[in-house]
Amino acid sequence: MKTLSRYISVRLGVGWLLVFLILTSLFSFLELVGQLDDIGKGSYHVSDAFMYVLYTLPGRALDLAAVCSLIGAIVGLGTLANSHELLSMRACGVSVFQIAGVVLKTGSVIMLGVLFLAQFVVPPLEQQAKINREIAISGEGALLPTGGFWTRDQNRLINIRTSQNGVGLAHVSVYEFDDDGKPTRCVIADDAKMAEDGRWVGTDVRQVLFQDNQVYDRKIPTITMDVLLNTRQIDILKTTPDVLSLDKLFRYIQILQDKGQNADQYVLSLWQKTTLPIKVGTMILFALPFVFGSAREANPGRRVTLGTIVGIAYYYFEQSLGYMGLLIGLHPAFTTLMPLAIIALLAKWFMLRVP
């Protein structure tokens, strides 16, 4: 059985890898074509478009993970069905559920890989790609690898280290100069939030004044500052679910809820990300009904086409149900788990009907 399991695993892995390479390459090319309209705006060049597509490649892999798993499993196991090898396995006493166990064991590697991407790889790359692109197009400041976001406003230099630990900005530094270029004041705030009048209020502030050839350093609870960032710059630094890892997304939801703000979109994203490995495993199992049955009547092209339709339909159904649930007040757990439950029950029902 070990040899048989290894053989099935290899065929499944080859099929999945083939489909993964084709789909990610196709959608990456389409993304590159979509970036052509922005080339020439600001300092956004062809090389920047290629880097954006490269940085967002792992994110596309996550989006396509479930569909790739279904189609890849159909392709890999379909080769066994076309050569009557599945039929021979059944004749030797190997049950459908034993084959399903081997397939799911192989799929667990893909499931762990998806979880690794969602936690460690995709969030920082998505954030880097988004900020680099927007800064290049708009020219609104600069992003340094270790220095955060920098921008200039007349006689002020403004540095934002991060915007991920709350609704406002974090670790804000403002350096002010006179007309001769000499420093007059430095304000360093742990947090800064926009007030109703458009100005910013910093908390836990250290203020350094340069006056009469002397330096005055003091700490104050709060300080009101002029406008730090314009609307475009705020959009650049805005925290979105795709730039947060699972643990940071969970903490961000808690922060929003503590502040009394609506966190439903982030809760939905958290459920979708945490259940992604389960989706991959479920889709791999759902490929089995496509390849069992009469191998003589099986049409490889028909199987792949039908599997592609089912995979795409599932993706759009899940996304539509999730956002519809936000509108009508359904909990994201329900809108995320219900499509999974339907697919899992259908897979089991079809496998029970295999003679």
PDB file of all heavy atoms in Angstrom, residues 287-302:
ATOM      1  N   ALA A 287     -12.625  16.302  -6.151  1.00  0.00           N
ATOM      2  CA  ALA A 287     -12.161  15.872  -7.479  1.00  0.00           C
ATOM      3  C   ALA A 287     -12.386  14.383  -7.706  1.00  0.00           C
ATOM      4  O   ALA A 287     -12.460  13.926  -8.860  1.00  0.00           O
ATOM      5  CB  ALA A 287     -10.673  16.200  -7.642  1.00  0.00           C
ATOM      6  N   LEU A 288     -12.514  13.606  -6.621  1.00  0.00           N
ATOM      7  CA  LEU A 288     -12.640  12.156  -6.772  1.00  0.00           C
ATOM      8  C   LEU A 288     -13.881  11.739  -7.564  1.00  0.00           C
ATOM      9  O   LEU A 288     -13.794  10.834  -8.418  1.00  0.00           O
ATOM     10  CB  LEU A 288     -12.636  11.493  -5.394  1.00  0.00           C
ATOM     11  CG  LEU A 288     -11.298  11.572  -4.638  1.00  0.00           C
ATOM     12  CD1 LEU A 288     -11.449  11.009  -3.229  1.00  0.00           C
ATOM     13  CD2 LEU A 288     -10.224  10.818  -5.400  1.00  0.00           C
ATOM     14  N   PRO A 289     -15.070  12.333  -7.312  1.00  0.00           N
ATOM     15  CA  PRO A 289     -16.231  11.925  -8.116  1.00  0.00           C
ATOM     16  C   PRO A 289     -16.060  12.168  -9.610  1.00  0.00           C
ATOM     17  O   PRO A 289     -16.723  11.511 -10.424  1.00  0.00           O
ATOM     18  CB  PRO A 289     -17.365  12.800  -7.556  1.00  0.00           C
ATOM     19  CG  PRO A 289     -16.939  13.130  -6.176  1.00  0.00           C
ATOM     20  CD  PRO A 289     -15.455  13.269  -6.245  1.00  0.00           C
ATOM     21  N   PHE A 290     -15.177  13.088  -9.997  1.00  0.00           N
ATOM     22  CA  PHE A 290     -14.973  13.366 -11.416  1.00  0.00           C
ATOM     23  C   PHE A 290     -14.188  12.259 -12.110  1.00  0.00           C
ATOM     24  O   PHE A 290     -14.273  12.123 -13.332  1.00  0.00           O
ATOM     25  CB  PHE A 290     -14.203  14.684 -11.593  1.00  0.00           C
ATOM     26  CG  PHE A 290     -15.018  15.919 -11.300  1.00  0.00           C
ATOM     27  CD1 PHE A 290     -15.122  16.401 -10.014  1.00  0.00           C
ATOM     28  CD2 PHE A 290     -15.680  16.592 -12.315  1.00  0.00           C
ATOM     29  CE1 PHE A 290     -15.871  17.526  -9.731  1.00  0.00           C
ATOM     30  CE2 PHE A 290     -16.434  17.722 -12.041  1.00  0.00           C
ATOM     31  CZ  PHE A 290     -16.533  18.192 -10.748  1.00  0.00           C
ATOM     32  N   VAL A 291     -13.395  11.502 -11.351  1.00  0.00           N
ATOM     33  CA  VAL A 291     -12.498  10.535 -11.989  1.00  0.00           C
ATOM     34  C   VAL A 291     -12.936   9.092 -11.768  1.00  0.00           C
ATOM     35  O   VAL A 291     -12.414   8.187 -12.430  1.00  0.00           O
ATOM     36  CB  VAL A 291     -11.051  10.706 -11.476  1.00  0.00           C
ATOM     37  CG1 VAL A 291     -10.516  12.070 -11.862  1.00  0.00           C
ATOM     38  CG2 VAL A 291     -10.974  10.514  -9.973  1.00  0.00           C
ATOM     39  N   PHE A 292     -13.864   8.847 -10.851  1.00  0.00           N
ATOM     40  CA  PHE A 292     -14.354   7.491 -10.665  1.00  0.00           C
ATOM     41  C   PHE A 292     -15.525   7.225 -11.606  1.00  0.00           C
ATOM     42  O   PHE A 292     -16.191   8.127 -12.073  1.00  0.00           O
ATOM     43  CB  PHE A 292     -14.784   7.253  -9.218  1.00  0.00           C
ATOM     44  CG  PHE A 292     -13.630   6.981  -8.301  1.00  0.00           C
ATOM     45  CD1 PHE A 292     -13.265   7.909  -7.344  1.00  0.00           C
ATOM     46  CD2 PHE A 292     -12.902   5.812  -8.416  1.00  0.00           C
ATOM     47  CE1 PHE A 292     -12.207   7.667  -6.493  1.00  0.00           C
ATOM     48  CE2 PHE A 292     -11.842   5.548  -7.579  1.00  0.00           C
ATOM     49  CZ  PHE A 292     -11.488   6.479  -6.620  1.00  0.00           C
ATOM     50  N   GLY A 293     -15.780   5.967 -11.835  1.00  0.00           N
ATOM     51  CA  GLY A 293     -16.850   5.594 -12.754  1.00  0.00           C
ATOM     52  C   GLY A 293     -16.269   4.818 -13.915  1.00  0.00           C
ATOM     53  O   GLY A 293     -15.212   4.198 -13.829  1.00  0.00           O
ATOM     54  N   SER A 294     -16.944   4.867 -15.041  1.00  0.00           N
ATOM     55  CA  SER A 294     -16.513   4.122 -16.220  1.00  0.00           C
ATOM     56  C   SER A 294     -15.377   4.851 -16.920  1.00  0.00           C
ATOM     57  O   SER A 294     -15.561   5.928 -17.468  1.00  0.00           O
ATOM     58  CB  SER A 294     -17.684   3.943 -17.194  1.00  0.00           C
ATOM     59  OG  SER A 294     -17.254   3.296 -18.369  1.00  0.00           O
ATOM     60  N   ALA A 295     -14.183   4.314 -16.869  1.00  0.00           N
ATOM     61  CA  ALA A 295     -13.030   4.957 -17.507  1.00  0.00           C
ATOM     62  C   ALA A 295     -13.181   4.995 -19.017  1.00  0.00           C
ATOM     63  O   ALA A 295     -12.658   5.877 -19.686  1.00  0.00           O
ATOM     64  CB  ALA A 295     -11.748   4.214 -17.121  1.00  0.00           C
ATOM     65  N   ARG A 296     -13.906   4.041 -19.573  1.00  0.00           N
ATOM     66  CA  ARG A 296     -14.057   4.025 -21.033  1.00  0.00           C
ATOM     67  C   ARG A 296     -14.880   5.205 -21.522  1.00  0.00           C
ATOM     68  O   ARG A 296     -14.688   5.697 -22.618  1.00  0.00           O
ATOM     69  CB  ARG A 296     -14.728   2.709 -21.452  1.00  0.00           C
ATOM     70  CG  ARG A 296     -13.888   1.472 -21.179  1.00  0.00           C
ATOM     71  CD  ARG A 296     -14.593   0.234 -21.696  1.00  0.00           C
ATOM     72  NE  ARG A 296     -13.817  -0.974 -21.454  1.00  0.00           N
ATOM     73  CZ  ARG A 296     -13.887  -1.681 -20.355  1.00  0.00           C
ATOM     74  NH1 ARG A 296     -14.704  -1.306 -19.375  1.00  0.00           N
ATOM     75  NH2 ARG A 296     -13.157  -2.772 -20.203  1.00  0.00           N
ATOM     76  N   GLU A 297     -15.847   5.619 -20.696  1.00  0.00           N
ATOM     77  CA  GLU A 297     -16.708   6.716 -21.116  1.00  0.00           C
ATOM     78  C   GLU A 297     -16.168   8.076 -20.688  1.00  0.00           C
ATOM     79  O   GLU A 297     -16.750   9.101 -21.003  1.00  0.00           O
ATOM     80  CB  GLU A 297     -18.111   6.513 -20.518  1.00  0.00           C
ATOM     81  CG  GLU A 297     -18.798   5.243 -21.006  1.00  0.00           C
ATOM     82  CD  GLU A 297     -20.138   5.052 -20.325  1.00  0.00           C
ATOM     83  OE1 GLU A 297     -20.515   5.936 -19.526  1.00  0.00           O
ATOM     84  OE2 GLU A 297     -20.804   4.033 -20.599  1.00  0.00           O
ATOM     85  N   ALA A 298     -15.054   8.058 -19.926  1.00  0.00           N
ATOM     86  CA  ALA A 298     -14.526   9.311 -19.398  1.00  0.00           C
ATOM     87  C   ALA A 298     -13.875  10.117 -20.509  1.00  0.00           C
ATOM     88  O   ALA A 298     -13.163   9.583 -21.346  1.00  0.00           O
ATOM     89  CB  ALA A 298     -13.500   9.034 -18.301  1.00  0.00           C
ATOM     90  N   ASN A 299     -14.105  11.392 -20.499  1.00  0.00           N
ATOM     91  CA  ASN A 299     -13.499  12.326 -21.440  1.00  0.00           C
ATOM     92  C   ASN A 299     -12.645  13.297 -20.648  1.00  0.00           C
ATOM     93  O   ASN A 299     -13.176  14.100 -19.878  1.00  0.00           O
ATOM     94  CB  ASN A 299     -14.592  13.071 -22.211  1.00  0.00           C
ATOM     95  CG  ASN A 299     -14.018  13.932 -23.311  1.00  0.00           C
ATOM     96  OD1 ASN A 299     -13.002  14.595 -23.132  1.00  0.00           O
ATOM     97  ND2 ASN A 299     -14.679  13.914 -24.455  1.00  0.00           N
ATOM     98  N   PRO A 300     -11.290  13.251 -20.804  1.00  0.00           N
ATOM     99  CA  PRO A 300     -10.425  14.117 -19.997  1.00  0.00           C
ATOM    100  C   PRO A 300     -10.760  15.596 -20.149  1.00  0.00           C
ATOM    101  O   PRO A 300     -10.799  16.335 -19.156  1.00  0.00           O
ATOM    102  CB  PRO A 300      -9.023  13.797 -20.532  1.00  0.00           C
ATOM    103  CG  PRO A 300      -9.147  12.437 -21.138  1.00  0.00           C
ATOM    104  CD  PRO A 300     -10.532  12.347 -21.674  1.00  0.00           C
ATOM    105  N   GLY A 301     -10.990  16.026 -21.385  1.00  0.00           N
ATOM    106  CA  GLY A 301     -11.318  17.429 -21.599  1.00  0.00           C
ATOM    107  C   GLY A 301     -12.612  17.825 -20.923  1.00  0.00           C
ATOM    108  O   GLY A 301     -12.720  18.917 -20.348  1.00  0.00           O
ATOM    109  N   ARG A 302     -13.582  16.934 -20.983  1.00  0.00           N
ATOM    110  CA  ARG A 302     -14.871  17.225 -20.353  1.00  0.00           C
ATOM    111  C   ARG A 302     -14.718  17.315 -18.848  1.00  0.00           C
ATOM    112  O   ARG A 302     -15.324  18.185 -18.199  1.00  0.00           O
ATOM    113  CB  ARG A 302     -15.873  16.142 -20.730  1.00  0.00           C
ATOM    114  CG  ARG A 302     -17.269  16.379 -20.178  1.00  0.00           C
ATOM    115  CD  ARG A 302     -18.194  15.262 -20.613  1.00  0.00           C
ATOM    116  NE  ARG A 302     -19.535  15.449 -20.061  1.00  0.00           N
ATOM    117  CZ  ARG A 302     -20.526  14.594 -20.234  1.00  0.00           C
ATOM    118  NH1 ARG A 302     -20.326  13.477 -20.944  1.00  0.00           N
ATOM    119  NH2 ARG A 302     -21.710  14.815 -19.705  1.00  0.00           N
TER     120      ARG A 302
END
